[in-house]
């Protein structure tokens, strides 16, 4: 059974110079634990391989059920030098949501709207 | 004189170009102690520096004057919130004088006190700093700055990210408006908080809490429902700009004006908490090193989210420096491509353009093209459709040290209308401008080389100063 990352967590990207930070905010504790286990640096590096990051580092914030990935040099020179329309990596957050993960658990997906 | 009363800080601008209506929304809501306005992204200073070179009286964020002009009548009359802004850009003095002039136009306005906080600008000190042993090496590559100078790529602007101290001092001297150059974004919040609460500048945990509050509101609507994958769940039209209610113990509540659109909830706060951070256990600011991994985020009520338990450590010995150097010229162009085999047609257009330039002997240091609408250039591997889209945008861009070469590139787009494939549109737009590239060089400088300079005067006194 596969599940989209976007069904387990909210994702958002930002830039720091030539690097991208990808925030993954899980919608539940169960989702967070699953992502800690499965959403590895290797998986993110492979999904974004065409951007040729020189390194991918993962940080954890368990109190807020979140993971923060740093994708070093994943931009085409950053906002100041990129030749691409998305010079600041704004799209990484939404494309990351389409990353598919395999797993066996039943997940709590998007929180119901209030 | 310090206070334990909760300090209400609203941020009415997340960047230069943000909604000009946002600050009045915040002020009209009432009850604000401080209004911050954040105008300086990574690149903004180099753009303002270039502007100042062409127009010596400019070099600051003119959006701020538009905002002040709009707010001034009510703000002066009702003694509105203290305004703290980095609108000074690369010409703090000019921004201060222009602001003072606007205030003098209001009854009672000439008594308002305006502060300038300077000392961040290192542009004219590069040689001095290098001679004193500062390498100003590139933070990622380790390359020393002197190599740049040898390759004929001059430094366009260099500014240290100052912290909260200068702003706090200006607040203690009862400035009604504080205008700075480059400061750390969160310091716009920490500065007035330091003055208000009388914290000492080594009270690391409360400084961490205030820095987190500042980080949460510094991007404006990004914490109140903007820039989110949950865009369909939130009314964004009259999105509220954020307010941090900061307490003496460093905890805060993030909220927004009650009647505004948008939404502040646990997720909107956490996604902004993580925005543009590296290692969350040591988020570095000039004032404190923040550990965000201890932070707790709790919804207290609708649109009220409490943030607490940030921990702090002493900040680094150096200031971050944003430095930009001249790196040639760039231009981009776009064409709409439609019809059968749109992808092959767009690729053929790109081929034709660069082949024709090649025949003139023109190659570019860097060139790229994208097929927008196919999904092929998207970062990552989202699922893509199999068939060619019925239409797509071909976007081309070049960078080169030679302005004329980039100019020639922009001239090769329009000829395709008669000498290229059919099914292309978008020639009727004006030829793309050629603009200079200001490349970013992140580096640091030991603290001892940088001293903030604070000057606080009434608007009347600013008008009486002779320009040196």
């Amino acid at each position: 059974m596969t599940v989209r990352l976007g069904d387990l967590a909210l994702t958002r990207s930002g830039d720091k110079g030539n690097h991208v930070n990808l925030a993954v905010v899980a919608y539940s504790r169960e989702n967070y634990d699953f992502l800690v286990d499965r959403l590895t640096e290797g998986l993110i590096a492979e999904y974004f391989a065409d951007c040729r990051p020189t390194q991918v580092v993962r940080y954890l914030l368990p109190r807020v059920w979140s993971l923060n990935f740093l994708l070093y040099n994943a931009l085409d020179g950053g906002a100041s030098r990129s030749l691409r329309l998305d010079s600041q990596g704004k799209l990484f957050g939404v494309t990351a949501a389409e990353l598919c993960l395999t797993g066996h658990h039943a997940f709590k997906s998007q929180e119901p709207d209030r | 004189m310090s206070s334990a009363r909760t300090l209400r800080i609203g941020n009415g601008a997340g960047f230069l170009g943000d909604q000009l209506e946002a600050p009045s929304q915040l002020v009209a809501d009432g009850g604000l102690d401080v209004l911050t306005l954040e105008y300086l992204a990574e690149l903004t200073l180099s753009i303002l520096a270039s502007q100042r070179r062409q127009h010596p009286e400019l070099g600051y964020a003119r959006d701020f004057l538009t905002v002040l002009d709009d707010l001034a009548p009510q703000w002066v009359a009702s003694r509105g919130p203290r305004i703290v802004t980095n609108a000074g850009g690369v010409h703090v003095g000019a921004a201060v004088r222009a602001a003072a002039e606007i205030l003098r136009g209001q009854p009672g306005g000439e008594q308002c006190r305006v502060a300038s906080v300077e000392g961040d600008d290192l542009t004219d000190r590069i040689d001095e700093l290098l001679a004193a042993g500062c390498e100003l090496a590139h933070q990622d590559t380790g390359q020393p700055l002197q190599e740049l100078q040898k390759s004929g790529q001059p430094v366009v602007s260099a500014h240290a990210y100052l912290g909260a101290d200068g702003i706090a001092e200006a607040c203690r001297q009862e400035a009604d408006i504080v205008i700075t150059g480059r400061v750390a974004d969160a310091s716009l919040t920490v500065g007035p908080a330091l003055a208000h609460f009388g914290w000492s500048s080594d009270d690391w945990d409360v400084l961490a809490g205030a820095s987190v509050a500042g980080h949460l509101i510094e991007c404006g609507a990004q914490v109140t429902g903007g820039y989110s994958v949950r865009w369909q769940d939130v009314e964004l039209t009259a999105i509220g700009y954020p307010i941090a209610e900061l307490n003496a113990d460093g905890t805060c509540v993030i909220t927004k004006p009650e009647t505004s659109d948008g939404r502040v909830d646990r997720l909107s706060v956490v996604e902004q908490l993580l925005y543009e951070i590296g290692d969350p256990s040591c988020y570095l600011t000039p004032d404190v090193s923040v550990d965000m991994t201890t932070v707790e985020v709790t919804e207290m009520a609708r649109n009220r989210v409490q943030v607490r338990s940030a921990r702090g450590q002493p900040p680094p010995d150096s200031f971050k420096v944003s430095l930009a150097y001249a790196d040639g010229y760039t231009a981009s162009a776009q064409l709409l491509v439609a019809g059968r085999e749109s992808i092959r047609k767009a690729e053929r257009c790109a081929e034709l353009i660069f082949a024709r330039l090649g025949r003139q002997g023109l190659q570019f240091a860097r060139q790229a093209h994208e097929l927008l609408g196919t999904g092929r250039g998207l970062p990552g591997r989202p699922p893509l459709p199999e068939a060619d889209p019925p239409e797509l945008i071909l976007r081309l861009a070049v960078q080169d040290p030679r302005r004329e070469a980039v100019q020639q590139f922009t001239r090769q787009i329009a000829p395709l209308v008669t000498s290229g494939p059919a099914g292309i549109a978008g020639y009727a737009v004006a030829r793309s401008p050629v603009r200079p590239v200001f490349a970013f060089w992140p580096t640091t400088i030991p603290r001892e080389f940088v001293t903030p300079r604070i000057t606080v005067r009434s608007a009347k006194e600013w008008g009486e100063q002779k320009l040196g």
Side-chain angles (χ1 to χ4, degrees), chain A residues 6 9-28 45-51 58-70 72-74 76-100 110-114, chain B residues 41-43 140 221-223 225-230 233-234 263 265-268 270-281 283 292-297 299 302 308-309 320 325 327 330-332 334 366-368 370 372 376-383 395-399 435 437-440 442:
Chain A
L10 172 164
T11 51
R12 181 197 261 195
S13 53
D15 61 330
K16 290 172 74 67
N18 198 27
H19 318 306
V20 174
N21 98 287
L22 175 65
V24 178
V25 183
Y27 290 128
S28 70
E46 188 197 294
Y47 188 75
F48 288 106
D50 294 341
C51 302
R58 186 181 85 169
Y59 301 99
L60 301 179
L61 297 94
R63 281 200 179 179
V64 292
W65 303 336
S66 298
L67 305 85
N68 186 40
F69 290 90
L70 255 288
Y72 287 94
N73 298 302
D76 179 37
S80 70
R81 295 184 79 244
S82 175
L83 295 183
R84 304 174 55 98
L85 188 57
D86 183 25
S87 57
Q88 294 177 290
K90 298 280 186 209
L91 303 185
F92 282 69
V94 295
T95 56
E98 303 312 316
L99 192 160
C100 282
Q110 170 115 34
E111 281 176 335
D113 196 5
R114 266 165 284 109
Chain B
E42 264 175 19
L43 299 184
D140 298 333
Q222 280 193 188
V223 76
Y227 189 44
S228 179
V229 293
R230 297 185 304 153
D233 305 339
V234 182
R263 184 169 69 202
D265 60 12
R266 193 184 59 83
L267 286 173
S268 77
V270 175
E271 71 176 318
Q272 178 57 22
L273 185 71
L274 267 62
Y275 184 65
E276 288 182 351
I277 66 168
D279 181 347
S281 69
Y283 175 71
M292 289 186 179
T293 64
T294 54
V295 168
E296 290 164 40
V297 178
E299 271 174 39
R302 193 172 177 77
R308 60 194 170 115
S309 306
K320 220 171 82 163
Y325 64 95
D327 194 19
T330 190
S332 66
Q334 302 185 161
R366 295 168 68 223
Q367 69 185 60
E370 300 172 271
L372 306 174
R376 289 177 168 201
L378 286 174
R381 293 175 180 165
R395 183 177 181 275
L396 313 106
V398 300
Q399 183 196 355
R435 52 173 188 85
V437 176
F438 301 128
F440 191 58

Side-chain angles (χ1 to χ4, degrees), chain B residues 77-418:
Chain B
S78 65
R79 297 181 60 89
R82 167 171 285 146
I83 296 175
V84 180
T85 176
N86 59 6
V90 305
H91 202 171
V92 178
V96 166
R97 286 187 293 275
E101 188 178 341
I102 290 172
L103 294 177
R104 289 196 300 275
Q106 296 299 321
E110 57 179 27
Q111 306 310 322
C112 293
R113 289 168 66 71
V114 184
S116 67
V117 179
E118 297 171 275
D120 58 307
D121 194 344
L122 308 174
T123 312
D124 295 335
R125 297 182 54 197
I126 298 292
D127 290 338
E128 167 215 325
L129 294 167
L130 291 171
C134 299
E135 265 212 323
L136 297 172
H138 192 289
Q139 204 163 33
D140 298 333
T141 66
Q143 199 186 359
L145 186 66
Q146 277 172 317
E147 280 183 27
L148 253 196
Q149 302 192 301
K150 284 184 203 145
S151 68
Q153 291 167 293
V155 171
V156 165
S157 67
H159 293 78
Y161 282 79
L162 295 184
D165 287 340
I167 298 170
E169 180 52 33
C171 292
R172 280 184 217 110
Q173 293 186 37
E174 303 192 359
D176 299 303
I177 300 183
V178 182
I179 300 177
T180 77
R182 175 69 90 189
V183 295
D185 295 349
S187 300
L188 293 177
T189 292
V190 179
L194 259 176
H196 172 80
F197 293 115
W199 293 331
S200 70
S201 48
D202 60 357
D203 198 344
W204 307 122
D205 289 346
V206 293
L207 287 183
S211 299
V212 168
H215 174 66
L216 289 172
I217 68 174
E218 76 192 25
C219 294
Q222 280 193 188
V223 76
T224 56
Y227 189 44
S228 179
V229 293
R230 297 185 304 153
W231 57 275
Q232 290 176 303
D233 305 339
V234 182
E235 177 53 65
L236 297 173
T237 308
I239 190 167
Y241 275 64
I243 299 167
E245 297 177 349
L246 191 53
N247 301 308
D249 61 359
T251 63
C252 71
V253 169
I254 303 296
T255 185
K256 66 176 183 68
E258 212 172 295
T259 55
S260 61
D261 292 335
R263 184 169 69 202
V264 181
D265 60 12
R266 193 184 59 83
L267 286 173
S268 77
V269 170
V270 175
E271 71 176 318
Q272 178 57 22
L273 185 71
L274 267 62
Y275 184 65
E276 288 182 351
I277 66 168
D279 181 347
S281 69
C282 50
Y283 175 71
L284 302 178
T285 80
D287 308 312
V288 61
S289 168
V290 182
D291 185 353
M292 289 186 179
T293 64
T294 54
V295 168
E296 290 164 40
V297 178
T298 317
E299 271 174 39
M300 308 301 282
R302 193 172 177 77
N303 293 316
R304 293 184 62 77
V305 175
Q306 181 195 62
V307 182
R308 60 194 170 115
S309 306
R311 293 279 172 266
Q313 294 289 322
D317 290 333
S318 317
F319 287 121
K320 220 171 82 163
V321 173
S322 73
L323 188 153
Y325 64 95
D327 194 19
Y329 299 88
T330 190
S332 66
Q334 302 185 161
L335 290 169
L336 181 65
V337 179
R340 286 172 57 92
E341 296 191 78
S342 58
I343 290 178
R344 187 152 147 63
K345 192 187 303 187
E347 289 287 4
R348 185 67 186 126
C349 288
E351 234 171 53
L352 285 169
I353 288 165
F354 287 114
R356 288 172 180 175
L357 288 160
R359 285 165 62 85
Q360 290 172 50
L362 283 169
Q363 257 93 42
F364 301 93
R366 295 168 68 223
Q367 69 185 60
H369 69 276
E370 300 172 271
L371 306 184
L372 306 174
T374 61
R376 289 177 168 201
L378 286 174
R381 293 175 180 165
L384 298 184
E386 308 238 330
D388 279 26
E391 59 181 349
L392 62 93
I393 297 263
L394 167 65
R395 183 177 181 275
L396 313 106
V398 300
Q399 183 196 355
D400 197 85
R402 304 158 296 172
R403 184 179 227 289
E404 183 51 32
V406 178
Q407 190 99 37
Q408 289 300 335
F409 159 76
T410 66
R411 287 196 176 101
Q412 277 298 344
I413 311 301
L416 252 67
V417 70
T418 51

Side-chain angles (χ1 to χ4, degrees), chain B residues 44-115:
Chain B
T44 319
L45 285 183
S46 48
I47 295 165
L48 293 177
S50 167
Q51 194 184 81
R52 186 175 180 180
R53 258 198 291 290
Q54 289 171 37
H55 305 281
E57 74 283 9
L58 296 181
Y60 53 87
R62 279 181 287 174
D63 276 9
F64 172 58
L65 297 185
T66 308
V67 164
L68 185 61
D69 207 48
D70 186 44
L71 287 178
Q74 280 272 338
W75 182 83
V76 174
S78 65
R79 297 181 60 89
R82 167 171 285 146
I83 296 175
V84 180
T85 176
N86 59 6
V90 305
H91 202 171
V92 178
V96 166
R97 286 187 293 275
E101 188 178 341
I102 290 172
L103 294 177
R104 289 196 300 275
Q106 296 299 321
E110 57 179 27
Q111 306 310 322
C112 293
R113 289 168 66 71
V114 184

